[in-house]
Amino acid sequence: MTERASQRSNSRAGTGKQRGAYHHGNLRQAIIDAAVEVVSESGVEAMTLREAARRAGVSSGAPFRHFPGKRELVLAVAEQGMAILRRDMERRLAQCKSENPLVRMAVLAHAYVQWAMRHPTHYRVLGDRLLIDFYSSEPLLADNRWIRDNMQHLLEKADERGMLAVNDLALANLQSRAMAYGLARMLVDGHFPEFDLANDDSAGAAMIDALDGFVALLSRDPDGVLKEIRAHK
């Protein structure tokens, strides 16, 4: 179940409910999952190790076996979210049959906004550098570097083939990341109803169209690239 679906389910069933007794599984993961539930429902401020333990059905001291404090637990939520994002991107690239680097860039962008739609809590936590010590986490740095390097590699391949209408590849990489991040932020913060996009399906389609149009504008042949991107959805 995605976070968004879980939030709807919790809303119908009532919040603050305990998951049930924990039975000798992965305690660390159970605590992280419980923390995601609390943050989804009530925000980071309401999340404590004690509440995460209660949700997971374990003793109040159990989380301290893995997390010295709240900040470390929130960081673990961020690491989980980034790992999910990277897996989604790797899977989508593996499924993409096109060798056009701009089409593959669009695939990465699609994966990003669709991940944010499915995992809004992870998106919020990852996006707030005041909540987490991002640069102290090797998993976060490694996954973020993988995303950035793949984007840069695809831009370089497009440039080598004479496909790009832009010259500054680093700037194009930054702009591409900002475009995807900004659309995801608008979604998670609830801005799309202002544009008559009141549900996930319409907002999701609008984000994909916006990303496709942006990637196409990087090309010397925007119409051709846009056509190929849409053919590989």
Side-chain angles (χ1 to χ4, degrees):
M1 181 182 291
T2 65
E3 286 172 33
R4 193 171 289 273
S6 178
Q7 289 169 13
R8 288 194 290 263
S9 176
N10 287 337
S11 177
R12 289 192 296 268
T15 61
K17 294 193 175 181
Q18 185 173 312
R19 286 168 167 269
Y22 167 76
H23 293 291
H24 307 293
N26 186 334
L27 174 61
R28 185 178 189 276
Q29 188 59 56
I31 296 298
I32 293 171
D33 291 344
V36 171
E37 283 189 5
V38 177
V39 176
S40 296
E41 295 168 11
S42 306
V44 174
E45 298 78 8
M47 198 280 289
T48 63
L49 268 69
R50 181 181 295 275
E51 177 59 17
R54 190 185 72 80
R55 292 291 185 100
V58 299
S59 70
S60 60
F64 292 96
R65 300 176 195 172
H66 297 282
F67 307 105
K70 174 177 176 176
R71 191 169 180 84
E72 289 78 14
L73 178 52
V74 174
L75 182 62
V77 170
E79 290 172 346
Q80 180 187 68
M82 184 69 94
I84 293 169
L85 173 59
R86 178 171 173 174
R87 286 198 301 270
D88 285 354
M89 287 183 162
E90 289 175 332
R91 176 178 55 81
R92 295 288 294 274
L93 282 177
Q95 292 172 344
C96 178
K97 296 179 181 178
S98 175
E99 292 301 320
N100 184 324
L102 293 180
V103 173
R104 296 179 75 80
M105 272 191 66
V107 165
L108 288 178
H110 295 174
Y112 182 85
V113 296
Q114 289 166 346
W115 162 80
M117 181 176 286
R118 291 192 302 271
H119 302 281
T121 300
H122 287 101
Y123 174 87
R124 289 190 182 98
V125 170
L126 263 170
D128 192 340
R129 295 297 192 266
L130 297 178
L131 287 178
I132 59 173
D133 189 358
F134 186 94
Y135 297 101
S136 73
S137 168
E138 184 52 40
L140 287 180
L141 292 174
D143 288 340
N144 191 54
R145 187 163 51 245
W146 181 90
I147 295 169
R148 187 179 62 246
D149 289 351
N150 269 273
M151 294 286 287
Q152 188 68 21
H153 175 65
L154 291 170
L155 283 167
E156 289 170 357
K157 286 182 68 174
D159 188 48
E160 290 168 4
R161 297 181 187 183
M163 299 174 64
L164 294 182
V166 297
N167 296 317
D168 190 333
L169 302 189
L171 179 59
N173 194 344
L174 174 62
Q175 291 169 331
S176 301
R177 188 77 174 261
M179 181 73 173
Y181 180 86
L183 287 168
R185 174 58 66 182
M186 289 179 69
L187 171 78
V188 170
D189 287 351
H191 291 284
F192 280 119
E194 300 170 26
F195 299 89
D196 297 323
L197 302 167
N199 58 58
D200 286 354
D201 289 341
S202 59
M207 288 192 296
I208 295 301
D209 285 346
L211 290 168
D212 292 349
F214 175 81
V215 173
L217 289 175
L218 297 174
S219 171
R220 293 180 182 274
D221 179 20
D223 291 339
V225 167
L226 188 58
K227 182 177 180 180
E228 189 172 352
I229 290 171
R230 289 174 174 169
H232 283 84
K233 286 183 182 177

